[in-house]
């Protein structure tokens, strides 16, 4: 359960830049319906209950995390965005892993080791005295 919360938090934080956080707008009797209307979400009948349950779990996580923020235990808040109906597994499969994969080789240059005190960078003009 804590791994889900961590990944859900990471997902919400990582995607905060993808769209504005709409947390304050989801405080009505039918929060899931408001979420669907806001982000244009539609589901097949058999998927609706599953998405609503995932959304409810994510809302609970958001409330708990933001309460910890108010207590000074976290340094940022999280909120509802267009991905709030995704499970941890879905997030990892479709977003998180691909965000960190490199498709080109790294262009690195390894410099030789320098012994401490062997170079006076002030004399080389690299730094000011």
């Amino acid at each position: 359960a804590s791994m889900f919360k961590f990944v859900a938090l990471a997902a919400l934080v990582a995607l905060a830049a993808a769209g504005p956080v709409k947390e304050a707008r989801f405080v009505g009797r039918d929060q899931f319906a408001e979420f669907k209307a806001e982000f244009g979400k539609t589901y097949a009948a058999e998927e609706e209950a599953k998405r609503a349950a995932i959304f409810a779990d994510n809302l609970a996580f958001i409330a708990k995390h933001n309460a910890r923020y108010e207590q000074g235990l976290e340094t940022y808040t999280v909120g509802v965005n267009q991905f709030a109906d995704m499970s941890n597994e879905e997030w990892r499969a479709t977003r998180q892993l691909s965000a960190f994969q490199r498709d080109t080789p790294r262009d690195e240059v390894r410099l030789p080791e320098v012994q401490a005190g062997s170079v006076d960078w002030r004399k080389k003009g690299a730094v000011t005295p």
Side-chain angles (χ1 to χ4, degrees):
S2 63
M3 182 60 162
F4 169 78
K5 291 177 183 177
F6 173 76
V7 173
L9 171 64
L12 291 171
V13 170
L15 293 170
V21 174
K22 307 287 186 182
E23 175 184 0
R25 299 181 77 160
F26 300 99
V27 292
R29 183 173 144 236
D30 193 357
Q31 296 170 333
F32 187 58
E34 292 175 30
F35 163 78
K36 292 189 306 180
E38 177 74 22
F39 295 107
K41 299 282 188 161
T42 57
Y43 310 103
E46 62 274 2
E47 189 177 12
E48 182 89 14
K50 174 185 172 186
R51 295 290 160 201
I54 292 169
F55 179 79
D57 288 345
N58 287 336
L59 279 183
F61 172 77
I62 290 167
K64 183 178 179 181
H65 176 87
N66 289 346
R68 290 178 48 83
Y69 171 81
E70 292 297 326
Q71 297 169 359
L73 301 173
E74 301 290 351
T75 58
Y76 55 91
T77 60
V78 293
V80 173
N81 64 21
Q82 67 270 34
F83 302 104
D85 62 344
M86 291 178 70
S87 71
N88 175 31
E89 293 78 20
E90 290 167 325
W91 172 251
R92 283 199 271 165
T94 62
R95 304 281 181 194
Q96 184 184 19
L97 295 178
S98 65
F100 300 105
Q101 290 178 344
R102 178 178 298 279
D103 59 356
T104 58
R106 293 178 67 121
D107 186 19
E108 294 179 343
V109 176
R110 299 288 181 184
L111 300 175
E113 293 293 323
V114 177
Q115 297 299 318
S118 66
V119 177
D120 186 344
W121 292 109
R122 295 171 296 178
K123 291 179 181 174
K124 301 264 186 199
V127 296
T128 58

